[in-house]
């Protein structure tokens, strides 16, 4: 199969990236970290741009596109570290009034009992009775846990969109590592000239591109097993990529002025969304034994 993006898909990707560059750049990201509240104006702007209604049929007032296009949009959201219950609101578009337009923020009880952005949500799908606030490692993802929540299977689309966000992080941290390796000098030359740094950057790129192929393929087939494989590869690419990017940056990567540590923390939180990778591993194991 060829997974070459069409001109329309490239335009969609560039449009989402342009919107996020304009509305959620590095300065806005740091401001959000200092004051972690959902930007309702940006949420409505995303709705007006069709971010949440991408897969809603034309007849229902949506954009009428498919899963591959949604994956491209969520990849860009992950790349920009866009905050908020994006997956839950996207899945609620066409079901919950106002979700498609970005007028309503929707949270969803995670299969593992976690709820993201519960206090900011206008609508909560699922039972969040007795939810207890947790201290989240990611300052831009407030978490609650529902005690005694019944473990259930995760929605495959939610799993794939999470993988797309992870892919965005994997791509971005690779870019940041390469940029730093080209400009940071030690012993009179850029650190990218040293073999150890070259290998780190090369491994990040390989993991990101492997995950990209898997995520794009799963978006085309929509097969649960393909989605499970994509999720595992994307989680690994995001988490290991962010750790390697930190190593390239050295101590400055841990500072609040550097976005690398935020990518790592978000990757950790996403990796535990939807029951974590254990469910994906089980799906692959069952398929291999069939």
């Amino acid at each position: 199969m060829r997974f070459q993006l069409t001109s329309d898909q490239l335009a969609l990707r560039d449009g989402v990236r342009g919107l996020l560059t304009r509305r959620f750049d590095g300065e806005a990201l740091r401001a959000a970290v200092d004051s972690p509240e959902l930007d309702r104006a940006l949420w409505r702007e995303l709705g007006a741009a069709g971010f949440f209604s991408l897969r809603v049929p034309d007849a229902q007032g949506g954009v009428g596109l498919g899963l591959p296009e949604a994956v491209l949009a969520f990849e860009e959201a992950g790349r920009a570290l866009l905050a908020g219950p994006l997956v839950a609101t996207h899945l609620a578009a066409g079901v919950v009034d106002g979700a498609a337009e970005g007028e309503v923020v929707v949270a969803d009880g995670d299969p593992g009992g976690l709820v993201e952005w519960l206090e900011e949500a206008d609508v909560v799908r699922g039972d969040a009775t007795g939810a207890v606030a947790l201290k989240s490692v990611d300052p831009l993802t407030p978490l609650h846990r529902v005690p005694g929540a019944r473990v259930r299977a995760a929605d495959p689309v939610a799993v794939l969109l999470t993988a797309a966000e992870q892919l965005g992080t994997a791509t971005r941290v690779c870019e940041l590592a390469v940029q730093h390796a080209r400009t940071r000098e030690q012993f009179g030359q850029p650190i990218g000239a040293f073999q150890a740094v070259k290998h780190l950057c090369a491994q990040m790129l390989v993991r990101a591109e492997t995950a990209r192929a898997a995520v794009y393929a799963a978006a085309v087939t929509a097969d649960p097993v393909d989605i499970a494989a994509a999720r595992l590869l994307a989680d690994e690419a995001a988490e290991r990529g962010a750790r390697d990017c930190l190593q390239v940056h050295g101590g400055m990567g841990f500072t609040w002025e550097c976005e690398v540590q935020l990518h790592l923390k978000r990757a950790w939180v996403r990796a535990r969304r939807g029951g974590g990778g254990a469910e994906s591993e089980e799906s692959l194991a069952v398929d291999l034994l069939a």
Side-chain angles (χ1 to χ4, degrees), residues 107-116 125-127 144-146 149-154 162 231 269-270 272-276:
D108 193 2
D110 186 272
L114 291 177
V115 186
E116 299 179 8
R125 302 178 75 189
D127 185 10
H144 283 72
R145 182 180 295 281
V146 180
R150 182 175 61 86
V151 177
R152 54 184 172 84
T162 296
R231 169 67 185 273
V269 170
R270 290 197 206 107
R272 285 146 186 82
R273 185 189 294 165

Side-chain angles (χ1 to χ4, degrees), residues 134-177:
L134 301 178
K135 186 173 180 60
S136 176
V137 68
D138 176 18
L140 290 176
T141 310
L143 295 173
H144 283 72
R145 182 180 295 281
V146 180
R150 182 175 61 86
V151 177
R152 54 184 172 84
D155 183 337
V157 175
V159 173
L160 182 59
L161 295 181
T162 296
E165 288 184 292
Q166 293 284 59
L167 173 59
T169 279
T171 302
R172 179 58 178 161
V173 294
C174 185
E175 293 172 355
L176 291 171

